[in-house]
Amino acid sequence: RTENDNIPFFPLIDYISLHTYGDAHPYHRPMAGDHESIRNIDMDSVREWVGEHYKAENATMMVVGDFDASDVREVMTWVLGNMDPSLVHPKLTDELIAVAAKEGVENPDPNNTDDWWLWAMDPDNPTEMLSPEVIQAELPVRSHEFANFQVPERHTDEFIRYQSTVKDPTVVVTWPMPPANQGLDTLMNMTGGTMNIVANGIAYMNHNLVEDIDPNIKEWMGCSPFSGKQATTMICAATLKDGDKNPEHTAGRIIDQLYMAYNPDFQKFLFNEYGRVKMEILASTLRSLDLYAAVGAGRATDIALFGHFQGRPDFHSAQMNEAMTVELAAVQGMMQTYITRDKASMFLVEPIERDDIQEVSGDGTEHYSISNQGVTTDHVVQVEDITPESVYAAMAIPDLSELKEYNFSNGLRVVLMPHGRAPMVRASLISRGGDAEDTDSSEWFSWAFSQAPGEDALEVAGQWGDDRTSTHEYFTLKGSAGNVDGILWMLRDRIENIEQSVRNKGDWVKDGEDGVVDDLDEIDYHVYELMEAHINPDHPGADFTYGDYAELAEITGSQVQAMLNQRWQPSNATLLLVGRFDVDEALQLAKTHFGGWKAKKGVEAYELGELTKPKPVGGTKVYVFDKEGVTQTEVSLMCPGYFNGYEVWPEHSVLSAAMRNVAADILREGSGVVYSPQAASSSSLVGPYVVFSAPVQNSAAFYAYETYQKILGEIETGSFDEATFRYAQWAYASSYAARFQSQDQMANLLTSYIGSGKEWTDIEEHRNRTANMSIESLQKTLGECRDNAAVAFVGPVDEVTAQLDEGGLAYEVIDWKQRGYDQHYEWDAKGAKKAEKKRAKDKKKKEKKEAKKAAKEAKEAAKKALEDGSDGAEESDAPEESGSDAPAEE
């Protein structure tokens, strides 16, 4: 995963730990090992490790669901009904579990678990119930186990150059800090935020961050703490324009910049910005209160980790209290203690040399297939039990019984949905019409001018949001439930100010054109454009070209305003409120703020445009893009799926899950050549795509392509494994309830139905279609994918093409850099000539620099050789010539 562009620190992680900590520290080792360490793992060592560490007394389990956690009977009934009784008491067995009918239940059904309480009898006194004190025992404070870890001294003050899969040379500065879970986490996070303010301080004052820190900095990556139970590492990093241009100096300048934290002239500005950081943390914590349990994010994960280490579940209140009470002086004190020059470690990570790639890119699938035979086929639900009736019963859909809907006399539709317990409300104003119905992109152009900034969302501890989709546009504001009045006022104010945002059109067009030109230097741009041109050519909802901006530039400001007026009027809008609020009060506030909203005089009703169905070119195209310095090749396949229009079609989701499961079995579990392969089927009205994508080891590029083709072929021919399909169907149905638990989720679900013009009854239709689908309906959803596919290999061209030649797959190697130059000339010849001259100048400068470097290295080598030769002469055991006064020959 070290080449994951979404997490820029990944290629640096191992070197951060290696350089910051000494040999004796556990963080000195790579965090995940390498190919050799994986090969050396055996079952005996795994069993020993699990036996030592994975015990009940080391574990914390968190249960999230629809029950009253304050009622001991409910908690005990859930635990005894779902877990081993010995986890409640080591001597507890099934024979010691008592049953009692719940209050108010007449004639309880012996087979209905909802009618009964379960209770544990005391194993040491079987005639008595186990006391609540035993059941509600205090959680252990596990952070005490790590409290004695001392902050280590820096490992070295030497500046070292490393190589990894970074795109640009990256200079890194690190500092060891106290371990996590010792009461300093919020303080360390706020220290990282403050360091970013400090680093950006000159930018705020002089508007030129990069030049003021160091002109060799290409991009400032920021400062952030990486927490661990034995130590926390504070990291600041920046990419460089030139890795040979004294990176030590740049690292020193980053440290120099930190003096701003104590600069008297900067304190007023820093104090104001620090106050904003506090409010942002508070608002963020409030907004997260109703998130459901999820892997790596959400309420349950945060509380469970906090509860595991701290022995209490008050994560959110503790975080809010700390965020509001940690003062700037405490942050400055931590910086003075830990973020100092004498504790800093500095190093450079350079792009890995092309010739060295094979050494770290792995040797393909052979050795993995020997040791890893894939996943088990055991399932909780037997495939024969997955019937339309069982799927229907398992698929919970949102309960809309509390939803209230009104139509104001001005034409505005108002939907009020009380939902969740968190004291938050999300208000959205939604207008119909999006990219799919926008035949000439003029409405998208007008959307770009409807981005008038609203009032500061922190006034209501909230957050603004806005987006344009294939079917609708919306503005949304989520904030405190105690200020619904303020939220609706701010939303109405933003709508009123749309008309004030039509300005600087020429600058906007130029920025758009410049952005497209900048994209020409990015390999991903050419990959996507070529694949899109094959699958969905000339679709009006696709990405913009340079020429599109030129055409849009002809639209006048008055035309833009006319489009905004027609779209954003009450008859084409819906006001949606989701959250914790009183319906009657919210309705009255909606009338107050939006009841007087009217369309501009003379503005006609808005009409949706026609949908444009994709028309693929046909046939299969295979492209190879050369990407140097990478250990993984991105292998992508994209083809047109079934265009279902506005029709409800959950088959896309089930098809995605089925393909993704098989791809993971083969590429991850079976062969280990990728961490997380992607497979998806989309129902977008702009382009319903079926997509596979995986960054696999270079040596497995063709193997990944064959895997995609295998999966598609089995679905198209109807030979796809029935059990795999049924389990994907069951998983989608049984997990559907997790899609509308939080306030944001419910709002997103309702927004999608409102924005696409669907009825609430379509939710039930969605459930019916999910229950009754078959492999034949998956075949229809897939369409003739393989016959219309675009395939892209992005990696070292020599390694990729060798595999494709051996596999007999025809392909085209794309010189994407030259393609970018040609497109630039086609669009803007004057600008292209200027760019070409700059490239020639940079090339000459680079060659001169490399020649100078080579000459210096040659001179140093000659000097060393001379010194080695001299040393050898002095230490020679050869006998001296006698009887000769002649000078020794050189």
Side-chain angles (χ1 to χ4, degrees):
R1 288 194 295 172
T2 56
E3 286 168 17
N4 187 336
D5 292 336
N6 295 324
I7 307 177
F9 280 132
F10 259 3
L12 310 175
I13 289 292
D14 285 348
Y15 298 113
I16 287 170
S17 300
L18 174 71
H19 195 85
T20 307
Y21 300 99
D23 298 354
H25 198 281
Y27 290 176
H28 184 76
R29 300 189 297 270
M31 65 180 293
D34 55 21
H35 293 101
E36 191 64 28
S37 61
I38 292 173
R39 292 189 188 96
N40 289 330
I41 295 174
D42 57 42
M43 187 55 72
D44 289 339
S45 63
V46 171
R47 287 196 184 98
E48 181 182 353
W49 176 267
V50 171
E52 181 181 355
H53 297 284
Y54 287 81
K55 301 175 182 178
E57 60 265 30
N58 291 345
T60 300
M61 176 174 283
M62 179 142 184
V63 179
V64 179
D66 188 12
F67 62 91
D68 185 357
S70 65
D71 189 331
V72 176
R73 297 171 303 174
E74 270 209 66
V75 175
M76 177 57 68
T77 298
W78 190 95
V79 169
L80 294 177
N82 294 278
M83 296 168 60
D84 189 323
S86 65
L87 292 176
V88 175
H89 190 289
K91 298 179 183 178
L92 189 64
T93 62
D94 290 336
E95 291 74 21
L96 291 169
I97 298 177
V99 180
K102 291 183 178 180
E103 299 87 341
V105 178
E106 297 181 6
N107 302 317
D109 182 354
N111 298 315
N112 186 355
T113 57
D114 291 337
D115 291 351
W116 302 89
W117 296 118
L118 300 181
W119 198 263
M121 308 305 291
D122 188 342
D124 298 321
N125 188 7
T127 61
E128 300 291 332
M129 289 185 174
L130 202 62
S131 69
E133 288 75 19
V134 174
I135 299 167
Q136 295 180 314
E138 291 186 5
L139 290 171
V141 183
R142 292 189 173 88
S143 59
H144 290 169
E145 299 175 27
F146 319 120
N148 60 343
F149 287 132
Q150 300 298 311
V151 178
E153 296 296 325
R154 70 175 176 185
H155 170 47
T156 178
D157 60 359
E158 185 180 359
F159 190 93
I160 300 177
R161 292 171 177 259
Y162 301 100
Q163 284 192 341
S164 186
T165 53
V166 293
K167 181 179 178 181
D168 297 301
T170 305
V171 67
V172 183
V173 186
T174 67
W175 295 265
M177 296 185 74
N181 306 304
Q182 303 303 318
L184 298 173
D185 298 275
T186 301
L187 175 57
M188 288 191 289
N189 284 329
M190 298 186 79
T191 299
T194 303
M195 289 170 67
N196 275 315
I197 295 173
V198 169
N200 284 276
I202 290 182
Y204 285 116
M205 299 167 74
N206 298 341
H207 310 290
N208 194 4
L209 167 65
V210 170
E211 293 295 331
D212 278 306
I213 293 183
D214 192 297
N216 193 30
I217 290 180
K218 181 178 181 180
E219 182 179 359
W220 174 247
M221 296 173 66
C223 300
S224 179
F226 274 45
S227 299
K229 69 180 183 182
Q230 298 203 30
T232 294
T233 311
M234 182 66 75
I235 306 166
C236 294
T239 60
L240 303 182
K241 300 172 185 174
D242 187 345
D244 294 323
K245 192 176 181 180
N246 201 356
E248 300 95 325
H249 175 76
T250 303
R253 289 291 293 120
I254 291 174
I255 298 174
D256 291 342
Q257 188 72 11
L258 300 179
Y259 88 93
M260 295 286 289
Y262 322 111
N263 183 342
D265 296 334
F266 191 65
Q267 293 307 297
K268 183 177 181 180
F269 174 82
L270 180 58
F271 182 80
N272 291 335
E273 287 299 305
Y274 184 75
R276 185 174 182 83
V277 169
K278 280 187 173 185
M279 284 303 298
E280 286 175 346
I281 291 178
L282 175 63
S284 175
T285 305
L286 281 172
R287 291 194 299 269
S288 73
L289 278 173
D290 72 323
L291 290 178
Y292 71 106
V295 177
R299 178 177 64 183
T301 304
D302 291 339
I303 298 177
L305 286 172
F306 186 82
H308 177 77
F309 288 109
Q310 305 297 340
R312 63 184 204 270
D314 58 336
F315 167 76
H316 287 89
S317 58
Q319 187 177 51
M320 285 188 282
N321 182 62
E322 290 175 14
M324 299 311 293
T325 56
V326 172
E327 297 300 333
L328 180 58
V331 170
Q332 290 170 324
M334 175 157 278
M335 291 181 65
Q336 289 172 334
T337 303
Y338 298 105
I339 311 300
T340 61
R341 184 179 300 279
D342 62 339
K343 296 180 184 295
S345 299
M346 301 176 286
F347 61 94
L348 180 74
V349 180
E350 299 176 288
I352 197 165
E353 296 290 340
R354 187 174 186 123
D355 293 341
D356 297 333
I357 284 295
Q358 189 56 43
E359 296 179 15
V360 294
S361 63
D363 49 10
T365 62
E366 185 176 348
H367 70 266
Y368 288 103
S369 61
I370 296 172
S371 60
N372 189 337
Q373 299 300 325
V375 295
T376 175
T377 56
D378 293 338
H379 293 82
V380 174
V381 179
Q382 300 303 310
V383 67
E384 57 269 20
D385 294 331
I386 302 177
T387 63
E389 293 76 19
S390 66
V391 173
Y392 183 90
M395 186 172 178
I397 58 177
D399 178 8
L400 302 185
S401 60
E402 297 294 318
L403 183 147
K404 304 296 181 183
E405 192 167 357
Y406 306 91
N407 290 300
F408 286 2
S409 59
N410 61 359
L412 179 68
R413 180 187 182 190
V414 178
V415 178
L416 305 178
M417 180 62 185
H419 183 71
R421 299 180 180 180
M424 302 295 291
V425 171
R426 173 168 155 170
S428 304
L429 196 62
I430 308 157
S431 74
R432 286 285 282 117
D435 293 330
E437 301 104 344
D438 189 5
T439 56
D440 61 0
S441 300
S442 59
E443 292 181 2
W444 182 92
F445 186 68
S446 71
W447 165 253
F449 287 96
S450 63
Q451 302 301 295
E455 293 290 323
D456 191 343
L458 291 181
E459 292 180 20
V460 290
Q463 182 180 41
W464 279 109
D466 52 65
D467 197 12
R468 175 177 169 85
T469 74
S470 61
T471 61
H472 62 278
E473 300 172 356
Y474 67 85
F475 293 107
T476 184
L477 177 59
K478 184 177 182 182
S480 168
N483 203 351
V484 178
D485 188 13
I487 290 173
L488 292 178
W489 177 85
M490 291 166 71
L491 189 61
R492 172 66 190 278
D493 180 70
R494 184 163 185 177
I495 295 301
E496 288 296 323
N497 284 328
I498 285 180
E499 64 183 25
Q500 300 175 18
S501 66
V502 185
R503 60 171 72 95
N504 301 327
K505 184 188 68 170
D507 291 341
W508 184 90
V509 170
K510 186 179 185 305
D511 288 343
E513 292 174 337
D514 291 345
V516 176
V517 170
D518 290 341
D519 287 341
L520 297 177
D521 290 332
E522 301 294 330
I523 192 171
D524 291 342
Y525 163 83
H526 298 277
V527 174
Y528 178 78
E529 193 192 49
L530 280 170
M531 296 181 80
E532 180 81 11
H534 185 71
I535 301 302
N536 194 13
D538 303 321
H539 195 286
D543 285 353
F544 279 74
T545 67
Y546 193 92
D548 290 329
Y549 282 100
E551 292 180 11
L552 292 174
E554 301 300 318
I555 299 177
T556 66
S558 59
Q559 289 173 318
V560 169
Q561 187 62 60
M563 284 185 280
L564 291 174
N565 292 343
Q566 189 176 26
R567 170 182 294 280
W568 288 101
Q569 58 173 306
S571 63
N572 189 50
T574 299
L575 176 65
L576 169 67
L577 264 69
V578 176
R580 188 174 177 179
F581 56 84
D582 179 271
V583 171
D584 292 336
E585 179 184 347
L587 177 61
Q588 187 57 48
L589 289 172
K591 289 178 179 177
T592 299
H593 292 293
F594 287 91
W597 184 29
K598 296 179 180 179
K600 297 291 191 297
K601 187 176 181 180
V603 174
E604 298 179 355
Y606 179 81
E607 293 184 8
L608 289 175
E610 295 288 331
L611 288 180
T612 301
K613 185 176 181 179
K615 298 176 182 179
V617 174
T620 296
K621 291 287 292 185
V622 180
Y623 304 105
V624 178
F625 300 82
D626 187 23
K627 188 173 184 180
E628 298 183 62
V630 293
T631 64
Q632 295 164 287
T633 297
E634 185 81 34
V635 184
S636 303
L637 183 150
M638 184 164 66
C639 55
Y642 176 64
F643 185 75
N644 57 289
Y646 295 110
E647 187 179 0
V648 174
W649 204 265
E651 284 87 343
H652 283 289
S653 298
V654 175
L655 178 61
S656 296
M659 295 189 304
R660 187 165 55 248
N661 290 343
V662 177
D665 280 357
I666 297 173
L667 297 176
R668 172 178 170 144
E669 303 295 344
S671 58
V673 297
V674 64
Y675 176 75
S676 183
Q678 297 297 313
S681 177
S682 161
S683 60
S684 170
L685 297 181
V686 174
Y689 300 144
V690 175
V691 178
F692 288 89
S693 179
V696 299
Q697 289 173 212
N698 288 335
S699 52
F702 186 68
Y703 176 66
Y705 167 76
E706 287 184 307
T707 300
Y708 303 162
Q709 290 290 344
K710 174 182 181 294
I711 296 171
L712 293 174
E714 289 178 350
I715 296 173
E716 285 188 1
T717 59
S719 60
F720 191 75
D721 181 55
E722 175 79 17
T724 300
F725 156 59
R726 290 300 176 194
Y727 284 125
Q729 178 191 22
W730 176 265
Y732 176 73
S734 58
S735 65
Y736 189 74
R739 296 168 180 243
F740 50 84
Q741 295 304 305
S742 74
Q743 293 166 346
D744 283 334
Q745 288 176 308
M746 178 62 79
N748 290 335
L749 178 71
L750 299 182
T751 297
S752 68
Y753 274 78
I754 293 168
S756 58
K758 289 186 171 64
E759 302 294 333
W760 302 130
T761 53
D762 286 333
I763 295 177
E764 175 66 19
E765 173 63 15
H766 189 98
R767 188 185 192 186
N768 281 318
R769 286 199 67 93
T770 301
N772 292 288
M773 69 177 61
S774 63
I775 286 186
E776 286 73 23
S777 58
L778 287 195
Q779 286 178 283
K780 182 176 181 180
T781 305
L782 185 64
E784 297 179 350
C785 175
R786 286 201 300 169
D787 294 334
N788 297 278
V791 183
F793 294 86
V794 182
V797 66
D798 47 353
E799 290 197 50
V800 172
T801 54
Q803 295 176 57
L804 303 190
D805 289 338
E806 183 179 350
L809 182 63
Y811 58 86
E812 179 184 357
V813 176
I814 303 298
D815 185 345
W816 59 274
K817 289 187 178 180
Q818 186 59 51
R819 184 175 186 268
Y821 303 153
D822 294 341
Q823 285 187 335
H824 195 181
Y825 266 103
E826 180 184 344
W827 299 336
D828 177 17
K830 184 177 179 181
K833 288 179 180 177
K834 184 177 179 181
E836 185 177 26
K837 288 181 179 179
K838 185 178 184 304
R839 286 195 302 271
K841 183 178 179 181
D842 291 343
K843 181 181 179 182
K844 188 175 181 180
K845 184 178 179 181
K846 182 180 179 181
E847 290 173 348
K848 184 177 179 180
K849 178 183 173 183
E850 290 175 348
K852 185 176 180 180
K853 182 179 179 182
K856 181 180 178 183
E857 291 173 351
K859 184 176 180 180
E860 291 174 350
K863 180 180 179 183
K864 187 175 186 302
L866 186 61
E867 291 173 350
D868 291 344
S870 174
D871 291 343
E874 291 176 1
E875 298 171 4
S876 175
D877 293 328
E880 295 182 5
E881 276 192 51
S882 59
S884 173
D885 295 325
E889 291 186 6
E890 190 172 31

